[in-house]
Amino acid sequence: MEILHVSAECYPMAKAGGLADVVGALPKYQQELGHIAKVVMPMHRTKFLYDNEWEVSHKGSFNMGKNYYEFTIIKEKSNKLGFDLYCVDINGLLDREKIYGYNDDAERFTAFQIAVLEWVSRWKHIPDVINVHDHHTALIPFMLQHCYAYRHISSIPTLLTIHNAQYQGWMGWDKATYLPAWDTWRWGLLDWSNVVNPLASGIKCANKVNTVSPGYMQEMMYHANGLESLIRAESFKCTGIINGIDYEVWNPDTDTYIIDNYSYLDVEEGKHLNKKKLCDDFGFDIKLPLFVFIGRLVQEKAADLLPEAISRAFMESEDKFSFLILGSGEPWVENALSNLQHTWFGYYNSQIGYNEKLSHQMYAGADFLLMPSRVEPCGLNQLYALRYGTVPVVRRIGGLRDTVIDFGDEGGYGICFNHASVDDIVYSIKRGIELYKNKKQLKAMRTFMMQLQNSWEFSAKKYIELYQSL
Ligand code: ADP
C-alpha cells in the first residue's frame, strides 16, 4: 500500500523531539515491509537541507484568508532516508530555521496543510492512506472531507497519530477563514471549548486515531489537557501502538557519535571507555555512578523538580555520585540547573541546549538515565538507554510503564517509581547507587537490556494492520 505521512518534524531533516525520531524511522520500516511510504514536511532551513540535493516535484498556489501564496514541493534526490522525503517551501512562511515558536505558527501550519492537500489533489492516483501526526497536521482530515476543493479526494482514509496531546494548536475562530471554502454548518467539527482546536478536530474527523503507547491511550481518557471526554466518546476508533526505535541510528555497535563501539558481548569495556570520555569532558570521577537526564526542560518532563531533587540526593546520600544534564526549555529551570554547577562542582554539570552528538555519548557513557515525567506518551529516551545498556530510572506513567520493569520485580531491568515528586526521585537515585555497588548484577542487567527487542519491526506491522482496517 502507499502511505503518505504528514509531519512537522522528521529526523534527520528537522528534530525537536520524539516526533522526528518516529517519522524518520517508521516509514523506513514500512518500506522494508514492502509498502511505499512517503513523508511530507515543511521546509525548515536546517543543515540537512543545505547538505543534500533536492529537485522540484510540484509547484502550486492557493489563497489563505486574504493572502495569496505560491508553494513549491521539493524532494530529496538520493532517497537518503530509505523513503521519499518531500518538503513544502512557501516564501516567508515555511523557510525558517526553527520548527516552532513563531507568533504566526497557526498561519504557517495551516498553509502547510493546505499546500499538502493542493499537491495530493493533483496526483494522478491517490495514496491508500494519509497518516497525519500531531496537531500541526490534524486539520487535514477535516479539510479532506469538508472543503469543497478536495471533494474528489475525500475518500482517502486518514489516521491521526497523537504523539503528545498536551499541545493542541488552539486558534481563535477568526482564523477559520484561513481554511479553503468549507461546509460552515460543520463548524462543530473544528470547535472545542469555543476555539478552533486542530487536535480535537483530528480526533473527530480522522477515520482512526492512535497514540504512541497503549498506556498513554488509557491515561488520555482521564488526562488529556481538556480532551478527556472527547477521547472517551471516540474511544471506539482509538488504539495505542508502542513506538519502536531505529536500530540503524541507535546502535552502540555502529554509532559514529560515540568514542568506542560496543555490543552486549563487551558492554562493560565499551561503556567504561564512553564513560571516561564523558567524565573527562565534564570533570567527574569515573569511579562514581553517573546519572544523566536528557530532554526538554518543561513541566511535562518534571524538569522543574530536578534542581531540588538533585541537591537533596547529593545532601542525603551517603555515597557520592555524578549527575549530568542535557536539555533546554523553561528559562527558570535552565538557570536553576546551570547554577547547581557552582554548588556541586566536580559532581554535577549541565549542558543547556540541543546537542544530538552529546545525547548519544550520554546514552553510551552513563550508568543511569532519569525520567521522572509527569506526562510521557511513549518516551524514546528509555528505549535508547536500554539499547545502550544504561539503566532507566523512570516514573510509572504512559509509555514508560509499558516499557520498563523494576528490577525488584520478576524479569525486571530498570528502576521504577510512582510519583513525580522530589522524594521519589531521591529514593530512586539512592536505589541506583546501591545497585551500582553490585557489579555482577549490574552487568547481568546491562547484557539483558541490550538484547531486548524494541525495534520498529514489530510496531511498523501494527501500523500496517491499522491502515488495512481503514
Ligand atoms: P519528547 O516528548 O521531547 O518528544 P521523547 O522521549 O519522545 O520526548 O523524545 C526525545 C528525543 O529528543 C530523544 O531522541 C532525545 O534524545 C532527544 N532530545 C531531547 N532533548 C535533547 C537535547 N537537548 N539534545 C539532544 N537530543 C535531545
Side-chain angles (χ1 to χ4, degrees):
M1 66 188 336
E2 182 168 348
I3 308 132
L4 180 66
H5 291 274
V6 192
S7 168
E9 301 178 33
C10 175
Y11 180 82
M13 168 65 185
K15 170 170 168 178
L19 169 62
D21 288 349
V22 172
V23 178
L26 173 61
K28 183 164 72 181
Y29 283 79
Q30 291 176 335
Q31 289 267 138
E32 282 167 14
L33 290 173
H35 303 280
I36 300 169
K38 301 175 175 178
V39 172
V40 60
M41 65 185 298
M43 191 195 79
H44 308 293
R45 289 201 180 279
T46 61
K47 188 169 177 304
F48 186 90
L49 179 74
Y50 293 110
D51 286 352
N52 291 280
E53 286 195 37
W54 302 80
E55 64 193 7
V56 173
S57 282
H58 178 79
K59 276 178 179 286
S61 61
F62 58 89
N63 289 302
M64 190 173 80
K66 291 189 187 121
N67 295 327
Y68 168 80
Y69 291 102
E70 291 183 344
F71 68 94
T72 308
I73 307 270
I74 56 171
K75 178 174 170 244
E76 195 274 314
K77 262 183 164 175
S78 66
N79 200 273
K80 197 167 190 171
L81 307 188
F83 53 83
D84 287 340
L85 174 67
Y86 297 88
C87 291
V88 181
D89 177 14
I90 303 178
N91 240 332
L93 271 190
L94 300 183
D95 53 358
R96 302 191 193 161
E97 278 175 20
K98 284 194 300 174
I99 305 172
Y100 317 109
Y102 298 101
N103 288 335
D104 59 351
D105 276 355
E107 285 81 351
R108 294 175 67 233
F109 287 110
T110 308
F112 167 59
Q113 296 172 81
I114 295 172
V116 169
L117 288 180
E118 287 293 320
W119 174 50
V120 174
S121 68
R122 279 158 183 79
W123 287 18
K124 290 201 184 72
H125 65 290
I126 54 169
D128 294 304
V129 58
I130 297 184
N131 191 165
V132 298
H133 297 264
D134 272 353
H135 73 83
H136 328 96
T137 61
L139 287 173
I140 285 182
F142 174 86
M143 287 201 272
L144 257 183
Q145 287 158 31
H146 304 296
C147 289
Y148 303 119
Y150 310 127
R151 280 275 150 85
H152 63 293
I153 53 166
S154 64
S155 62
I156 304 174
T158 50
L159 172 71
L160 166 66
T161 302
I162 302 177
H163 299 256
N164 194 333
Q166 293 300 107
Y167 307 96
Q168 298 168 11
W170 311 268
M171 49 175 112
W173 264 105
D174 53 318
K175 302 255 176 10
T177 54
Y178 290 166
L179 302 182
W182 49 283
D183 286 336
T184 46
W185 64 279
R186 294 290 197 172
W187 67 273
L189 292 173
L190 293 172
D191 185 83
W192 194 254
S193 301
N194 302 325
V195 292
V196 174
N197 183 319
L199 191 69
S201 170
I203 295 168
K204 294 177 197 182
C205 299
N207 296 84
K208 287 211 173 161
V209 176
N210 82 298
T211 64
V212 287
S213 72
Y216 186 53
M217 188 70 250
Q218 289 305 315
E219 281 163 20
M220 277 176 61
M221 304 216 183
Y222 306 98
H223 306 281
N225 206 6
L227 299 184
E228 301 78 8
S229 59
L230 177 61
I231 295 284
R232 286 200 292 270
E234 300 281 353
S235 61
F236 66 95
K237 65 174 186 185
C238 296
T239 172
I241 302 178
I242 194 81
N243 280 340
I245 61 175
D246 188 334
Y247 267 31
E248 283 172 26
V249 176
W250 298 96
N251 181 358
D253 213 5
T254 54
D255 191 332
T256 51
Y257 284 140
I258 66 177
I259 211 83
D260 187 58
N261 290 118
Y262 60 97
S263 72
Y264 71 91
L265 297 171
D266 58 350
V267 52
E268 295 301 304
E269 298 83 345
K271 284 195 77 69
H272 182 81
L273 286 171
N274 284 294
K275 183 175 176 182
K276 182 167 183 331
K277 159 93 178 129
L278 273 186
C279 291
D280 290 348
D281 288 354
F282 291 96
F284 299 142
D285 178 351
I286 191 167
K287 290 195 285 304
L288 303 182
L290 174 57
F291 291 78
V292 298
F293 173 95
I294 301 168
R296 293 181 292 120
L297 301 176
V298 295
Q299 282 247 333
E300 249 179 282
K301 303 282 178 194
D304 50 303
L305 301 180
L306 290 176
E308 190 187 337
I310 293 169
S311 293
R312 263 194 43 201
F314 277 129
M315 284 188 288
E316 287 179 17
S317 171
E318 285 164 12
D319 302 284
K320 295 202 165 22
F321 64 94
S322 316
F323 207 114
L324 178 61
I325 301 259
L326 168 63
S328 61
E330 307 231 4
W332 79 264
V333 182
E334 291 184 356
N335 287 338
L337 288 172
S338 297
N339 288 339
L340 283 187
Q341 273 164 230
H342 309 295
T343 322
W344 304 106
F345 185 77
Y347 298 99
Y348 171 89
N349 217 325
S350 64
Q351 188 83 20
I352 302 301
Y354 188 90
N355 189 330
E356 189 72 26
K357 183 175 180 182
L358 178 58
S359 74
H360 284 242
Q361 292 176 343
M362 288 168 72
Y363 290 118
D367 299 302
F368 300 94
L369 174 108
L370 176 65
M371 294 180 79
S373 309
R374 291 197 176 87
V375 182
E376 199 56 84
C378 174
L380 291 170
N381 298 17
Q382 82 282 11
L383 301 180
Y384 301 145
L386 293 169
R387 181 101 167 110
Y388 283 68
T390 300
V391 180
V393 182
V394 305
R395 180 177 171 221
R396 285 190 185 92
I397 186 92
L400 298 175
R401 192 175 35 194
D402 290 344
T403 53
V404 183
I405 304 171
D406 189 273
F407 77 102
D409 297 335
E410 206 185 321
Y413 44 81
I415 295 177
C416 302
F417 53 96
N418 288 333
H419 306 288
S421 70
V422 169
D423 283 345
D424 275 28
I425 297 172
V426 173
Y427 180 69
S428 302
I429 291 178
K430 289 182 189 165
R431 284 186 73 205
I433 296 172
E434 282 308 309
L435 171 63
Y436 186 76
K437 292 179 191 164
N438 188 339
K439 296 283 181 246
K440 208 170 143 201
Q441 188 179 14
L442 185 59
K443 182 178 177 191
M445 266 167 74
R446 284 172 169 168
T447 314
F448 180 76
M449 290 186 303
M450 288 186 71
Q451 293 179 80
L452 288 170
Q453 279 308 317
N454 285 311
S455 150
W456 264 112
E457 244 164 75
F458 174 73
S459 297
K461 282 190 193 134
K462 292 240 160 206
Y463 271 85
I464 299 293
E465 281 164 23
L466 193 52
Y467 301 148
Q468 279 163 349
S469 76
L470 302 177

